[in-house]
């Protein structure tokens, strides 16, 4: 909070960043995951809040920058994130940053068919890892959490068609590229534990269906975290672990991409009335 005796010195309206509250939120999720998983990553959603100072402080706490465009990728680098501490998602990647990120060890989740084609431009004398975004149709995966009768997504590769299998086959045909992870980012209005359990179960079933040997599961964002009587970070982490253990996949690195859950509580808005 802003000290009352300093408010009159501010040029209002303005937002005030509370670094201690940001740290509380970030470390809260980190510790919740660490209690259950040997390897985990908290990604800072740049699209949710791209204030450089906030990004820098989050980076100092050990989070990765989760970016969804070439502009956000470049901003993350300017804010001090190393290339291998970036999670690169979304359909707005440029070819140049896409290839650069993969070659430098970033976590890159492929989202479009053109990105699959770009993989052929990687140098053939090295080995690379990529992830793949699996489309999640909430109406079928977790109907109770669906927004309408057809809460599908235009993002990612669908296993209801041949898209997902074709993408796996295309990556598998490349001797220098390994499919290392699955990305299932969807959010629901409920943000319920049930929704995440069902979504992760869907991902685990897909992994087993295709006998995928992966390093990580990126479960996306959309969590509570600051509200009373709502699921806590530990509640979510426990739910992830319960489902992944049931499928024998709790050894995977778990990646989360919280947006508002990390930054909503660390800003105050100050204005004269």
């Amino acid at each position: 909070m802003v000290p009352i005796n300093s408010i009159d010195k501010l040029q209002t309206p303005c937002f005030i960043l509370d670094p201690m509250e940001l740290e509380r939120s970030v470390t809260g999720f980190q510790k919740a995951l660490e209690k259950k998983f040997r390897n985990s990553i908290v990604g800072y959603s740049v699209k949710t809040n791209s204030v450089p100072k906030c990004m820098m402080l989050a980076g100092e706490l050990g989070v990765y920058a989760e970016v969804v465009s070439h502009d956000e990728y470049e901003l993350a680098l300017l804010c001090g994130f190393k290339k291998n501490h970036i999670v690169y998602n979304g359909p707005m990647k440029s070819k140049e940053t896409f290839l650069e990120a993969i070659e430098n060890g970033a976590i890159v989740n492929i989202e479009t068919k053109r990105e699959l084609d770009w993989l052929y431009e990687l140098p053939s004398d090295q080995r690379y890892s990529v992830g793949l975004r699996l489309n999640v149709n909430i109406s079928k995966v977790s109907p109770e959490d669906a927004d309408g009768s057809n809460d599908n997504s235009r993002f990612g590769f669908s296993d209801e068609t041949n898209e997902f299998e074709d993408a796996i086959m295309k990556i598998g045909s490349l001797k220098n590229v390994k499919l290392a992870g699955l990305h299932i980012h969807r959010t629901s209005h409920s943000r319920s534990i049930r929704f995440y359990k069902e979504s992760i179960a869907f991902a685990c079933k897909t992994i087993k269906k295709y006998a995928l040997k992966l390093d990580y599961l990126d479960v996306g964002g959309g969590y509570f975290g600051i509200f009373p009587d709502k699921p806590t970070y530990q509640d979510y982490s426990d739910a992830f672990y319960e489902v992944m253990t049931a499928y024998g996949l709790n050894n995977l690195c778990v990646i989360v991409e919280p947006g508002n859950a990390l930054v909503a509580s660390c800003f105050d808005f100050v204005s004269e009335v």
Side-chain angles (χ1 to χ4, degrees):
M1 297 295 293
V2 184
I4 192 68
N5 60 359
S6 66
I7 290 179
D8 59 352
K9 300 177 183 178
L10 299 174
Q11 183 176 346
T12 60
C14 65
F15 287 95
I16 304 297
L17 170 61
D18 183 345
M20 292 182 65
E21 178 60 21
L22 176 64
E23 181 175 1
R24 181 202 65 79
S25 191
V26 168
T27 58
F29 218 145
Q30 289 172 329
K31 290 178 180 178
L33 293 171
E34 288 168 1
K35 284 184 179 179
K36 291 294 183 179
F37 296 97
R38 185 173 66 251
N39 296 306
S40 59
I41 294 170
V42 174
Y44 177 97
S45 173
V46 174
K47 65 180 175 292
T48 303
N49 193 306
S50 58
V51 173
K53 181 63 176 179
C54 194
M55 291 175 60
M56 291 176 185
L57 289 172
E60 291 171 2
L61 294 170
V63 305
Y64 283 41
E66 188 264 321
V67 303
V68 295
S69 68
H70 54 92
D71 288 340
E72 290 185 3
Y73 175 86
E74 297 291 354
L75 176 60
L77 296 180
L78 288 173
C79 288
F81 287 90
K82 296 180 180 179
K83 292 174 183 176
N84 64 353
H85 276 64
I86 289 177
V87 180
Y88 203 174
N89 296 324
M92 295 301 294
K93 308 177 185 79
S94 68
K95 183 194 293 186
E96 293 73 22
T97 56
F98 173 81
L99 296 173
E100 176 184 282
I102 293 175
E103 290 184 62
N104 287 277
I107 296 169
V108 179
N109 292 313
I110 292 175
E111 188 138 354
T112 64
K113 293 180 180 179
R114 68 175 183 174
E115 292 168 34
L116 291 171
D117 293 334
W118 291 344
L119 292 175
Y120 290 97
E121 300 189 30
L122 289 167
S124 59
D125 59 345
Q126 298 182 47
R127 293 278 296 174
Y128 307 97
S129 295
V130 298
L132 196 61
R133 181 166 180 176
L134 173 66
N135 173 279
V136 178
N137 185 340
I138 299 178
S139 299
K140 293 186 176 182
V141 171
S142 188
E144 303 91 338
D145 299 288
D147 185 14
S149 59
N150 186 29
D151 194 357
N152 204 347
S153 171
R154 62 190 179 198
F155 298 114
F157 296 87
S158 175
D159 197 36
E160 295 177 22
T161 65
N162 293 326
E163 277 188 344
F164 185 74
E165 183 176 11
D166 289 347
I168 292 174
M169 296 295 289
K170 196 161 192 176
I171 294 172
S173 70
L174 296 167
K175 295 181 179 179
N176 63 332
V177 180
K178 171 190 174 183
L179 178 59
L182 207 61
H183 182 212
I184 57 166
H185 188 107
R186 283 303 305 272
T187 59
S188 73
H189 293 302
S190 70
R191 304 184 186 184
S192 68
I193 295 295
R194 175 190 60 239
F195 169 71
Y196 288 98
K197 280 188 172 182
E198 296 292 351
S199 298
I200 292 173
F202 172 63
C204 291
K205 291 174 186 176
T206 305
I207 292 170
K208 293 294 184 180
K209 175 182 177 180
Y210 293 102
L212 302 177
K213 305 297 182 183
L214 304 180
D215 298 327
Y216 69 85
L217 176 62
D218 187 333
V219 298
Y223 312 99
F224 286 114
I226 62 172
F227 299 102
D229 304 318
K230 297 295 183 181
T232 65
Y233 294 148
Q234 195 61 59
D235 292 333
Y236 289 120
S237 180
D238 291 348
F240 304 162
Y241 185 78
E242 178 185 335
V243 177
M244 293 172 69
T245 299
Y247 288 90
L249 295 171
N250 56 303
N251 61 311
L252 296 181
C253 175
V254 173
I255 301 173
V256 296
E257 303 166 355
N260 287 332
L262 288 189
V263 299
S265 63
C266 67
F267 279 90
D268 292 306
F269 180 68
V270 180
S271 178
E272 295 181 24
V273 178

